[in-house]
């Protein structure tokens, strides 16, 4: 038994007692059933998996016991035999839910009916056809007018190049008038003026045609576009109304949650979020359910563990059987209140062990650059905490005190080993960074994947951003994520593992680790990945090859260090 309740936000995993209880539940899930009549393979379908939790408790007589829970609903059910019930007041929710469900469904039906109505379809098709016709006619007219303009320019240049015919004067005034007669074709001044005027009239005719066409298009737009815009405004208005009504009902749902802590104090759910509306699903996480049930039945919480089971979510970041701390977004304001009255341990944070070697492994150095083979477990740059000062950068500054400006041109994760290049002066550093920015640096990583990879090679394109609720994890986000592209190829297949070479085109945080673990990537994490897979002795990811143009010599250089696994 732990001396105090381990923090649910502990980054180093659950207490051993809670882990054992969770592994017992995982064994049941692995056997194929969540509960009688409820197979666990429903968690492997398109709807994805689920967070599960276990809470080790001490009963009033001192006997230990275990409570089990799942987040939100399971297979459309709040209640499943063997798992604790939800937190909300059932009678209060029963008064709100039917009305909310019927109202929101009716608004959805209205919006769907109007957005798929025959009237809106005809308006959209007619307006789309008008736009296509307008664009086609505009382009044809532009080409026609451009051709005419070129012809007019050619004719105008030819007319201006012709000499003006000089009318002969009387012999008494010009005895040699014949000398004024041109030898090439000529125009009289009046004829030239008339020809140039005709060309100008043709230009004015094209402009008039364009004005008439613009007026006709404007009339067509007035007949169709406003009607379509009005109809589509109605669709958007119905959608806004649905969202407003849904938010109103969500407040009523939140008001059905009364949260009790270990002291027996009770507060409304919404009061715990500092005036902001609680996020969707607040109060329905497994941890909150477990603590609420324990307090309601006089059970003493001892240790908590939460894990994921089933298909990973679309954003990635969850692996079946892996343990995760409580989420900061939903549970950050909630669980600390619930635990008031208990002695709770401070959450442990990750502190890297001492680096395996006290000295840097220098692969190459000259007057301008240094190439390092970074070991796994050594930071690239120092962290904020005093325990995180040792790093490649710290050691470089001690080794090269004469170096000016920044040193490292790029970084590797703490858990990743391999090649790093540093500059000994500012100009060299700027040159290297330009090469990284313009993707002129070739990088090859070797990784051991924890599972089979079916294809032999490919490209992974999954945009990434930080998980705001669970830093430093990264998640896939097609809307807000930054582009991340990785080329890969299988090197060989081993017993239960696959050795893969990665060639990243971009350099996002944890890019290779997420692209490996995500279902739309390789579908299996890197061996030993504590964030996106299962922790091991080390992360089996190594920066094996680094190629770039030497900033001083201009020659292409390449360095290789084989993976130590």
């Amino acid at each position: 038994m732990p001396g105090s309740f381990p923090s649910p936000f502990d980054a180093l995993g659950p207490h051993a007692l809670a882990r054992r209880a969770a592994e017992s539940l995982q064994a049941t899930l692995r056997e194929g059933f969540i509960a009688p009549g409820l197979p666990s393979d429903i968690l492997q379908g398109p709807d994805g998996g689920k967070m599960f939790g276990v809470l080790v408790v001490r009963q009033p007589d001192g006997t230990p016991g275990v409570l089990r829970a799942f987040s939100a609903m399971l297979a459309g059910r709040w209640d499943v035999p063997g798992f604790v019930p939800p937190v909300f007041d059932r009678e209060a929710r029963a008064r709100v839910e039917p009305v909310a469900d019927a109202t929101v469904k009716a608004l959805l039906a209205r919006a769907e009916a109007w957005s798929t109505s025959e009237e809106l379809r005809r308006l959209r098709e007619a307006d789309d056809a008008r736009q296509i016709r307008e664009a086609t006619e505009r382009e044809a007219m532009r080409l026609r007018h451009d051709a005419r303009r070129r012809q007019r320019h050619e004719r105008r240049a030819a007319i201006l190049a012709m000499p003006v015919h000089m009318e002969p004067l009387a012999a008494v005034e010009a005895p040699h008038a014949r000398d004024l007669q041109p030898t090439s074709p000529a125009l009289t001044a009046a004829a030239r003026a008339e020809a140039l005027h005709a060309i100008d009239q043709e230009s004015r005719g094209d402009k008039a045609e364009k004005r008439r066409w613009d007026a006709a298009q404007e009339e067509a737009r007035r007949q169709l576009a406003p009607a379509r815009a009005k109809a589509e405004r109605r669709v958007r208005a119905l959608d806004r109304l649905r969202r407003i009504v849904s938010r109103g009902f969500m407040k009523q749902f939140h008001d059905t949650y009364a949260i009790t802590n270990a002291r027996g104090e009770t507060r409304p759910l919404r009061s715990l979020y500092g005036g902001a509306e609680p996020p969707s699903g607040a109060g329905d996480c497994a941890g909150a359910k477990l603590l609420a049930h324990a307090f309601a039945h006089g059970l003493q919480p001892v240790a908590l563990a939460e894990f994921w089971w089933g298909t990973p979510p679309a954003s990635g970041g969850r692996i079946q059987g892996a343990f995760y701390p409580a989420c900061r977004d939903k549970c950050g304001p909630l669980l600390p209140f619930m635990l008031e009255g208990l002695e709770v341990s401070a959450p442990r944070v990750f502190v890297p062990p001492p680096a395996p070697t006290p000295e840097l492994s220098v692969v190459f150095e000259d007057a301008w650059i240094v190439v390092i083979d970074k070991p796994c477990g050594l930071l690239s740059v120092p962290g904020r905490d005093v325990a995180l000062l040792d790093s490649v950068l710290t050691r470089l500054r001690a080794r090269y005190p004469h170096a000016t400006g920044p040193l490292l041109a790029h970084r590797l994760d703490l858990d990743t080993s391999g090649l790093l290049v540093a500059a000994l002066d500012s100009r060299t550093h700027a040159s290297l960074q330009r090469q990284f920015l313009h993707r002129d640096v070739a990088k090859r990583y070797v990784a051991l994947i924890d599972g089979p990879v079916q294809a032999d090679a490919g490209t992974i394109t999954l945009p990434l951003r930080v998980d705001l609720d669970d830093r430093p994890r990264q998640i896939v986000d097609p809307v807000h994520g930054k582009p991340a592209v990785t080329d890969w190829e299988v090197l060989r297949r081993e017993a239960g593992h696959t050795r893969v070479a990665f060639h990243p085109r971009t350099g996002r945080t944890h890019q290779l680790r997420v692209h490996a673990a995500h279902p739309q990537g390789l579908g299996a994490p890197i061996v030993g990945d504590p964030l996106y897979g299962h922790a091991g002795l080390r992360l089996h990811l190594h920066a094996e090859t680094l190629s770039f143009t030497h900033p001083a010599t201009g020659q292409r250089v390449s360095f290789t260090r084989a993976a130590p696994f």
Side-chain angles (χ1 to χ4, degrees):
M1 293 286 184
S4 58
F5 187 79
S7 171
F9 302 101
D10 197 308
L12 301 187
H15 186 272
L17 194 60
R19 183 184 292 269
R20 284 177 56 194
E23 288 170 349
S24 175
L25 174 55
Q26 290 179 2
T28 301
L29 296 173
R30 199 172 286 112
E31 289 172 0
F33 288 95
I34 303 170
L38 192 61
S40 56
D41 59 9
I42 63 171
L43 301 170
Q44 308 296 339
D47 292 336
K50 180 72 61 177
M51 286 294 296
F52 286 83
V54 297
L55 180 65
V56 179
V57 296
R58 184 182 287 110
Q59 301 180 60
D61 62 1
T63 306
V66 176
L67 302 177
R68 295 175 172 182
F70 49 83
S71 63
M73 302 176 76
L74 183 57
R77 298 157 59 179
W78 287 108
D79 295 291
V80 172
F83 293 84
V84 303
V87 177
F88 54 77
D89 182 305
R90 293 177 183 275
E91 291 184 3
R93 192 178 185 97
R95 290 192 294 270
V96 176
E97 196 162 36
V99 177
D101 189 56
T103 304
V104 172
K105 282 183 177 178
L107 289 172
L108 280 170
R110 284 178 60 190
E112 177 68 16
W114 180 244
S115 63
T116 58
S117 66
E118 183 66 19
E119 179 182 351
L120 182 56
R121 185 190 65 79
R122 286 198 304 268
L123 285 170
R124 284 173 170 168
E125 289 181 352
D127 194 42
D128 288 345
R130 176 197 63 77
Q131 293 181 42
I132 294 171
R133 184 172 61 252
E134 179 180 324
T136 303
E137 291 178 0
R138 179 185 291 108
E139 179 64 12
M141 184 169 58
R142 184 189 67 79
L143 294 174
R144 187 168 65 251
H145 287 182
D146 285 349
R148 290 177 182 173
R149 189 179 300 108
R150 287 192 296 272
Q151 293 173 1
R152 288 196 297 270
H153 288 169
E154 293 171 359
R155 287 162 53 201
R156 182 178 287 107
I159 290 170
L160 292 174
M162 295 176 67
V164 177
H165 180 74
M166 301 295 295
E167 294 291 345
L169 301 176
V172 64
E173 297 175 353
H176 305 290
R178 63 181 180 276
D179 296 333
L180 299 177
Q181 301 300 319
T183 58
S184 58
L187 292 173
T188 64
R192 183 171 73 170
E194 183 178 352
L196 293 174
H197 176 71
I199 292 174
D200 291 339
Q201 287 295 97
E202 291 178 12
S203 177
R204 294 187 186 97
D206 285 352
K207 292 177 181 177
E209 180 186 9
K210 177 66 166 54
R211 286 194 298 270
R212 290 192 300 272
W213 185 85
D214 286 341
Q217 302 313 307
E218 181 60 30
E219 179 61 26
R221 280 193 292 270
R222 278 199 298 268
Q223 293 176 2
L224 285 175
R228 175 180 181 173
K230 181 179 179 181
E232 292 187 335
R233 280 197 302 271
R234 182 177 176 183
V235 173
R236 293 193 296 271
L238 287 171
D239 188 56
R240 283 196 302 273
L241 177 62
R242 179 188 57 80
R243 291 198 300 270
I244 292 169
V245 170
S246 296
R247 283 197 296 268
F249 281 124
M250 187 57 67
K251 290 182 179 180
Q252 295 183 47
F253 281 126
H254 288 153
D255 288 340
T256 67
Y257 291 76
I259 307 300
T260 301
N261 65 15
R263 291 196 186 100
E265 301 167 342
T266 300
R267 289 178 58 183
L269 176 69
R270 288 202 289 144
S271 69
L272 301 176
Y273 288 83
E277 283 301 315
S280 177
D284 295 327
C285 291
K289 289 183 179 182
L290 290 165
L291 290 172
H293 190 78
F295 297 149
H297 292 80
L299 305 174
Q300 176 78 14
V302 174
L304 171 71
E306 293 184 87
F307 63 90
W308 181 268
W309 197 267
T311 303
S315 60
R318 295 288 183 266
I319 296 296
Q320 179 166 297
F323 292 94
Y324 298 94
C327 60
R328 294 286 179 182
D329 184 36
K330 299 176 186 177
C331 296
L334 181 62
L335 294 188
F337 169 76
M338 298 187 77
L339 293 172
E340 288 181 11
L342 290 180
E343 183 181 349
V344 181
S345 303
R348 296 173 298 168
V349 296
F350 175 77
V351 177
T357 56
E359 297 296 329
L360 288 174
S361 175
V362 177
V363 175
F364 173 85
E365 64 179 311
D366 60 16
W368 300 277
I369 64 171
V370 183
V371 179
I372 306 297
D373 184 6
K374 185 187 88 68
C376 172
L378 181 63
L379 292 166
S380 292
V381 298
R384 296 180 181 179
D385 193 276
V386 67
L388 305 176
L389 295 181
D390 188 23
S391 67
V392 173
L393 181 59
T394 306
R395 296 184 183 189
L396 281 172
R397 292 203 180 281
R399 182 184 176 100
Y400 303 97
H402 62 281
T404 60
L407 293 172
L408 284 178
H410 62 126
R411 302 179 186 181
L412 293 176
D413 293 341
L414 169 79
D415 299 321
T416 304
S417 60
L419 296 174
L420 281 172
V421 61
L424 297 180
D425 62 80
S426 296
R427 179 175 295 179
T428 301
H429 184 269
S431 173
L432 288 172
Q433 289 229 304
R434 280 195 298 272
Q435 293 187 55
F436 277 100
L437 179 65
H438 297 145
R439 302 176 185 174
D440 294 331
V441 178
K443 295 172 285 184
R444 170 187 160 104
Y445 292 74
V446 171
L448 193 62
I449 304 301
D450 193 9
V453 176
Q454 301 303 322
D456 293 329
T459 298
I460 302 168
T461 305
L462 293 172
L464 304 177
R465 69 165 175 85
V466 68
D467 185 347
L468 299 176
D469 302 326
D470 195 10
R471 297 174 185 269
R473 281 188 175 87
Q474 306 292 307
I475 59 175
V476 173
D477 187 339
V479 178
H480 304 291
K482 294 181 179 179
V485 182
T486 304
D487 298 321
W488 62 274
E489 58 182 325
V490 170
L491 299 178
R492 66 175 180 269
R493 292 177 171 87
E494 306 170 5
H497 296 149
T498 309
R499 188 170 293 266
V500 170
F502 288 118
H503 303 272
R505 299 190 206 173
T506 52
R508 307 300 177 203
T509 302
H510 298 176
Q511 175 175 320
L512 302 182
R513 299 165 70 171
V514 178
H515 280 185
H518 197 275
Q520 296 176 21
L522 298 186
I526 297 173
V527 172
D529 191 338
L531 286 180
Y532 307 99
H534 302 281
L537 294 178
R538 66 153 292 169
L539 175 70
H540 285 59
L541 177 63
H542 178 77
E544 182 181 67
T545 302
L546 191 64
S547 302
F548 55 90
T549 300
H550 195 294
T553 67
Q555 294 181 337
R556 193 71 179 175
V557 293
S558 183
F559 304 94
T560 299
R561 279 296 180 272
F565 50 81

